[in-house]
Amino acid sequence: MSLLVVGSVAYDALESPYGKVDRTLGGAATYFAVSAAFFTHVNLVAVVGDDFHSSDEAILRKRSIDIEGLERTPGKCFFWAGRYSENLNERVTLTTELNVFADFNPRLPQKYTNSKFVFLANIAPTLQRDVLHQVKGAPKLVAMDTMNYWIERTNDELRETLKHVDILMINDSETRQLANEHNLLRAARRIFKMGPSALVVKRGEYGAMLVDGKGVFCVPAFPLEEPHDPTGAGDSFAGGFMGYLAGVGRKSDSALRRAMVYGSVLGSFAVERFGLERLLTLKKSEIYARARHFAKLTQFEL
Ligand code: AMP
C-alpha cells in the first residue's frame, strides 16, 4: 500500500567530530522517503526553492518515490545547520531558515488522496494538518513526528494536529517536554489523552520504545563502533517503521514489533556516514541481514 509523507526537504550544514559539510541534501521527509522506499511506494509532499539541485532531485526520482507532490517555488530551500558534541549525544541547532516553507500551501495530487498510510514528518503542525485533511476516506494508519522547535513555538496548533493521529513518534526529550512529565510511561499516558493511541519514543543509542494500550515493546539501537553523524536517524527510523507497515499493509501487534526492528535497522545505517551517504548505497539484502542480526542480539531463553 502506498505511503504518503509530508515534511521538510532541505539543505543541511552538519558538523560532528568526524567532519563537516556546508550544504548537503537533508530534511526529515527526505530521510523518511529514502528509508521507506526500500519497502513500499512513497508519495512525497514538500516544497523546494529554485536552488534545489537537479542531482538531488535525481536521488529521489531514482527510487520508489513519487515527486509529483514536490512543489518548486521561487526562493530558497529550507536550510538547517547543526553541530554535534564530542560523543554525538548532544546537538545544537545553529540555524533554522524556513524559507519556502514559510508560505507553503500544500496541495495533494489527486493520486495521493487515497493513501492508506500517512506520515506527517517534522514540519509546522498546521501544514501537517492541511495535508491530512486532503486525504479521502479513513487512512489505515496516521503517524507523526515533531520537535522542540514546534512544541515551543506552535503548541496550540500541535495539540490540534495530535487529535487526528494514531501514533506519535518523537525522541525522549520531546516526550518529556510535550507531556511535561519526566517518566516516559507516565508521559505516554498523558500523550494518549491528547489523541494518539500509541507512542514510539526514539532514544538514540538506547534504542526505541513502543507504548500502547497493550503494553510496552523495546528494541535496542544496533551497536556500532563508529557512528559518524546522527542527523536523520529519527526520520530514517520512522521511514523503516512506516515503510515496513505500508509494505505489508498491516498494523497488527506482530507487524508493529517487526516495524520497530526495521526502524532501528534503518536508523543504524543512517548514522554510519555523513548525511544521506550510507542510505544511498544501502542494499535490501543488507537491511534483512541486519534485521537477522537484531534477532540474534535480543534472543534469550528463560
Ligand atoms: P533528525 O536528526 O531526525 O532530527 O532530523 C534532522 C533533519 O530534520 C535535518 O535534515 C533537517 O533538515 C530537518 N529539520 C531540522 N529542523 C527542522 C524543523 N524545525 N522543521 C522541519 N525539519 C527540520
Side-chain angles (χ1 to χ4, degrees), residues 70-139:
L70 181 65
E71 192 181 309
R72 272 177 183 273
T73 177
K76 282 168 73 180
C77 286
F78 185 101
F79 178 75
W80 178 79
R83 183 193 296 138
Y84 294 89
S85 63
E86 205 54 43
N87 60 12
L88 298 180
N89 282 337
E90 274 118 54
R91 146 171 122 186
V92 281
T93 288
L94 303 172
T95 314
T96 299
E97 292 172 13
L98 295 181
N99 296 329
V100 291
F101 264 102
D103 302 312
F104 184 39
N105 184 13
R107 284 284 144 261
L108 250 60
Q110 182 61 28
K111 65 182 180 194
Y112 288 16
T113 58
N114 289 319
S115 302
K116 291 287 172 233
F117 287 78
V118 179
F119 187 68
L120 310 171
N122 181 23
I123 198 65
T126 45
L127 295 182
Q128 294 175 316
R129 206 161 61 244
D130 277 356
V131 165
L132 193 55
H133 282 163
Q134 292 173 55
V135 177
K136 291 197 191 109

Side-chain angles (χ1 to χ4, degrees), residues 8 10 12 26-28 31 78 80 91 122 147 149-150 230-232 234-235:
S8 53
D12 291 344
Y31 282 99
F78 185 101
W80 178 79
R91 146 171 122 186
N122 181 23
M147 71 184 293
Y149 186 92
W150 306 113
T231 308
D235 310 309

Side-chain angles (χ1 to χ4, degrees), residues 151-162:
I151 298 173
E152 288 153 19
R153 287 173 174 74
T154 58
N155 199 273
D156 291 346
E157 290 90 335
L158 176 63
R159 295 296 187 106
E160 195 47 47
T161 304
L162 277 169

Side-chain angles (χ1 to χ4, degrees), residues 2-279:
S2 68
L3 169 60
L4 173 70
V5 59
V6 58
S8 53
V9 170
Y11 283 116
D12 291 344
L14 309 169
E15 264 178 70
S16 96
Y18 293 92
K20 188 173 182 299
V21 284
D22 288 338
R23 189 176 165 86
T24 187
L25 177 63
T30 309
Y31 282 99
F32 178 91
V34 169
S35 299
F38 285 103
F39 302 95
T40 195
H41 182 84
V42 181
N43 293 326
L44 175 67
V45 177
V47 62
V48 289
D50 38 29
D51 56 344
F52 191 60
H53 208 273
S54 55
S55 58
D56 292 323
E57 185 177 312
I59 288 177
L60 303 172
R61 246 184 224 292
K62 265 198 339 219
R63 294 173 164 72
S64 207
I65 302 170
D66 189 301
I67 57 167
E68 196 185 320
L70 181 65
E71 192 181 309
R72 272 177 183 273
T73 177
K76 282 168 73 180
C77 286
F78 185 101
F79 178 75
W80 178 79
R83 183 193 296 138
Y84 294 89
S85 63
E86 205 54 43
N87 60 12
L88 298 180
N89 282 337
E90 274 118 54
R91 146 171 122 186
V92 281
T93 288
L94 303 172
T95 314
T96 299
E97 292 172 13
L98 295 181
N99 296 329
V100 291
F101 264 102
D103 302 312
F104 184 39
N105 184 13
R107 284 284 144 261
L108 250 60
Q110 182 61 28
K111 65 182 180 194
Y112 288 16
T113 58
N114 289 319
S115 302
K116 291 287 172 233
F117 287 78
V118 179
F119 187 68
L120 310 171
N122 181 23
I123 198 65
T126 45
L127 295 182
Q128 294 175 316
R129 206 161 61 244
D130 277 356
V131 165
L132 193 55
H133 282 163
Q134 292 173 55
V135 177
K136 291 197 191 109
K140 203 171 160 87
L141 187 69
V142 179
M144 72 171 265
D145 189 6
T146 191
M147 71 184 293
N148 57 348
Y149 186 92
W150 306 113
I151 298 173
E152 288 153 19
R153 287 173 174 74
T154 58
N155 199 273
D156 291 346
E157 290 90 335
L158 176 63
R159 295 296 187 106
E160 195 47 47
T161 304
L162 277 169
K163 290 180 188 162
H164 307 278
V165 309
D166 304 303
I167 304 182
L168 177 65
M169 305 179 75
I170 50 180
N171 71 28
D172 37 8
S173 65
E174 291 153 358
T175 303
R176 291 179 172 121
Q177 187 181 17
L178 177 64
N180 198 15
E181 163 63 59
H182 187 80
N183 180 281
L184 294 176
L185 295 178
R186 283 204 298 267
R189 276 214 299 279
R190 286 198 180 178
I191 287 172
F192 295 158
K193 292 205 180 103
M194 299 175 194
S197 54
L199 172 71
V200 174
V201 187
K202 298 171 286 184
R203 309 182 64 210
E205 65 174 322
Y206 303 111
M209 182 167 95
L210 167 71
V211 191
D212 62 14
K214 304 213 174 75
V216 182
F217 177 69
C218 294
V219 287
F222 191 76
L224 291 172
E225 270 193 39
E226 228 184 45
H228 278 62
D229 167 24
T231 308
D235 310 309
S236 305
F237 179 100
F241 180 94
M242 288 298 284
Y244 173 76
L245 292 176
V248 296
R250 286 205 299 271
K251 54 172 188 177
S252 61
D253 281 357
S254 56
L256 285 169
R257 285 174 176 234
R258 276 194 294 275
M260 290 288 287
V261 173
Y262 284 110
S264 212
V265 166
L266 267 300
S268 72
F269 280 117
V271 305
E272 281 185 358
R273 295 271 173 281
F274 252 75
L276 278 171
E277 198 183 326
R278 181 65 180 100
L279 294 180

